[in-house]
Amino acid sequence: MNKQLKIFTNGFIKENPLLVLNIGLCSSLGVTTSVFNGLGMGMGMTFVLLMSEIVISIFRKFIPSAIRLPVFITIIAAFTTIVQLVLQAFVTPLYDALGVFLPLIVVNCIIMGRVEAFASKNNPSDSILDALGMGIGYTLVLVFISLIRELLGSGSITIWTGISFSLIPEDYRIGIFNSAPGGFLVFGFLAALVTAIKQAQAKRGK
């Protein structure tokens, strides 16, 4: 049980793909201008990561080492296409908002890194826990960055297409948070916070 819990929670802080491993940063800065976008991207990534890890873990012993990367990419691309088609058909505003970052899930370092480092070497049950933990950790960071950027930059919070709550008057909004520098700024503060938490935990463990 302790092993499974450790695998599941690794992605929250200890090995968070964005704040600790610093991979998959393009999407974290490109789509986090609203909570709706951040949550949608996180859920899409989690689905692709989960399904890819399950399939690759099940067939890991049958995939020749020499062609494992092309096989991994093909599997990831298949599930990414499913996400694209579903969003395009049922959540068109989100599909349009994510733009190029949606098909780029195929080559996202988080997914490629986890299927190569974990799913290809572990059983399906552990791979499911790893995918869920990494996906949840990734999604939480995206939503938090989106929340700060949208609230300070636009003065509102968008939880679904057409459903937005205006909380800060226009005169008090900080426009820079709607641009790339604002994304880097929020990300930097969060990364520093996680580093401080890890250092504090390390000191308590001594």
Side-chain angles (χ1 to χ4, degrees), residues 56-204:
I56 290 170
S57 179
I58 291 174
F59 295 101
R60 67 188 187 281
K61 296 181 180 179
F62 303 99
I63 301 175
S65 178
I67 60 169
R68 70 185 189 283
L69 291 182
V71 171
F72 293 169
I73 292 174
T74 301
I75 293 171
I76 295 169
F79 291 114
T80 300
T81 302
I82 292 174
V83 171
Q84 285 185 269
L85 294 176
V86 169
L87 291 184
Q88 188 175 18
F90 299 105
V91 197
T92 306
L94 179 59
Y95 175 82
D96 294 335
L98 296 182
V100 70
F101 294 103
L102 196 55
L104 284 178
I105 289 177
V106 175
V107 291
N108 192 290
C109 296
I110 297 173
I111 298 181
M112 286 299 298
R114 296 321 297 174
V115 298
E116 170 68 16
F118 197 92
S120 63
K121 300 177 177 65
N122 292 275
N123 61 59
S125 60
D126 286 347
S127 296
I128 290 173
L129 293 175
D130 178 73
L132 288 176
M134 290 292 168
I136 292 173
Y138 172 81
T139 302
L140 288 176
V141 173
L142 282 191
V143 171
F144 195 70
I145 293 176
S146 301
L147 179 64
I148 296 175
R149 292 185 66 187
E150 185 177 15
L151 184 60
L152 296 181
S154 302
S156 61
I157 297 177
T158 305
I159 58 175
W160 192 254
T161 175
I163 304 177
S164 180
F165 301 95
S166 182
L167 301 174
I168 299 178
E170 187 173 354
D171 292 342
Y172 297 95
R173 298 171 187 174
I174 308 173
I176 191 175
F177 285 100
N178 289 325
S179 61
F184 278 108
L185 185 63
V186 176
F187 175 80
F189 278 121
L190 287 180
L193 178 61
V194 169
T195 300
I197 292 173
K198 293 183 68 175
Q199 289 177 346
Q201 291 175 339
K203 288 182 180 179
R204 286 199 300 266

